[in-house]
Amino acid sequence: MIKVGLTGGIGSGKTTVVNFFKELGVPVYIADMEAKELMNTSKSIQKKLIKVFGPQAYINGKLNRPYLAQLVFNDEEKLEAINSIVHPKVAKHFSKWLQKQNAPYCIQENAIIFENNKADDFDYIISVTAPKDIRIERVLKRDSASKSQIMARINNQWDQAKKNELANFVIENINLTDTRKQVKKIHETLLKTTSD
């Protein structure tokens, strides 16, 4: 099965694009959502996070997200520590999930494919992009974050142009009708490559 990575900066509209692919019957694995789920359900992740970040990493058996977010904010070493615990588990989980899928191709939505040197894990990469001001506006509406917090998150990720350069496909996500058309076109191209 062809594996497609779908990436893009915060506020680029990856979820919207993913939903359009789902409408076309494409199986989609949302890495961030699965990582959060695993951080709450995996005993081995829980043990390791508590060992590294202390007992306050969990409250009543549930991940203490605000505490961890505050710790890793602007601290690359701590972020790296969390990633080294969680990412291998997510990779394993994705492999198991893949085996259950029956489709010409599937998508893993993951904001940091390039940042984590994971591009080689995929046959194709789709980069979702939008102008920075639109992205900031979207995140302001969606999250209870300030503009400076959003900017910090944007600056923590790779530059959008750099991602676009390395991707096989780029979706400019500004207007939903156009975005849907771009998704359909990529879908048809991918179906063709799987039948060749």
Side-chain angles (χ1 to χ4, degrees):
M1 189 195 289
I2 285 181
K3 286 185 288 184
V4 178
L6 186 140
T7 192
I10 181 172
S12 58
K14 293 183 296 295
T15 305
T16 301
V17 171
V18 152
N19 287 334
F20 288 158
F21 275 106
K22 280 183 183 171
E23 282 172 16
L24 296 167
V26 180
V28 178
Y29 183 94
I30 316 256
D32 191 43
M33 201 173 79
E34 299 296 350
K36 284 174 188 159
E37 178 68 17
L38 286 167
M39 286 164 96
N40 274 314
T41 57
S42 162
K43 290 286 171 235
S44 70
I45 288 179
Q46 198 167 346
K47 241 189 229 155
K48 287 173 186 167
L49 287 176
I50 287 170
K51 192 177 173 186
V52 177
F53 298 103
Q56 56 278 53
Y58 284 81
I59 297 171
N60 300 327
K62 284 284 169 222
L63 186 71
N64 184 351
R65 285 178 62 81
Y67 168 75
L68 283 178
Q70 174 206 324
L71 280 184
V72 301
F73 195 69
N74 291 330
D75 189 329
E76 269 184 38
E77 267 181 36
K78 285 186 177 142
L79 182 62
E80 195 46 55
I82 287 188
N83 290 346
S84 69
I85 292 167
V86 179
H87 290 173
K89 278 277 188 203
V90 173
K92 237 186 221 158
H93 190 260
F94 176 61
S95 292
K96 279 186 186 158
W97 176 86
L98 261 184
Q99 288 162 9
K100 295 177 194 155
Q101 305 313 313
N102 182 16
Y105 73 95
C106 70
I107 290 175
Q108 183 190 110
E109 189 252 271
N110 187 332
I112 47 179
I113 289 173
F114 292 120
E115 290 87 338
N116 284 339
N117 298 317
K118 292 292 178 198
D120 291 343
D121 293 357
F122 300 96
D123 301 296
Y124 296 96
I125 305 241
I126 299 168
S127 173
V128 181
T129 183
K132 196 179 270 185
D133 55 335
I134 291 179
R135 290 168 58 197
I136 292 167
E137 205 177 297
R138 283 174 182 161
V139 183
L140 280 171
K141 280 182 189 162
R142 184 187 76 192
D143 299 355
S144 53
S146 68
K147 200 167 179 177
S148 62
Q149 286 172 318
I150 296 164
M151 283 311 297
R153 280 154 79 182
I154 285 176
N155 295 332
N156 259 340
Q157 295 179 336
W158 272 27
D159 179 62
Q160 197 62 59
K162 195 173 169 188
K163 288 185 181 196
N164 293 351
E165 241 170 71
L166 294 167
N168 304 93
F169 305 99
V170 176
I171 292 176
E172 181 84 45
N173 181 26
I174 300 167
N175 167 305
L176 287 185
T177 310
D178 287 347
T179 301
R180 196 185 285 272
K181 279 181 193 159
Q182 293 173 73
V183 166
K184 199 167 186 314
K185 198 173 164 194
I186 292 170
H187 177 63
E188 283 160 7
T189 305
L190 287 168
L191 287 181
K192 258 185 78 164
T193 61
T194 62
S195 62
D196 285 350

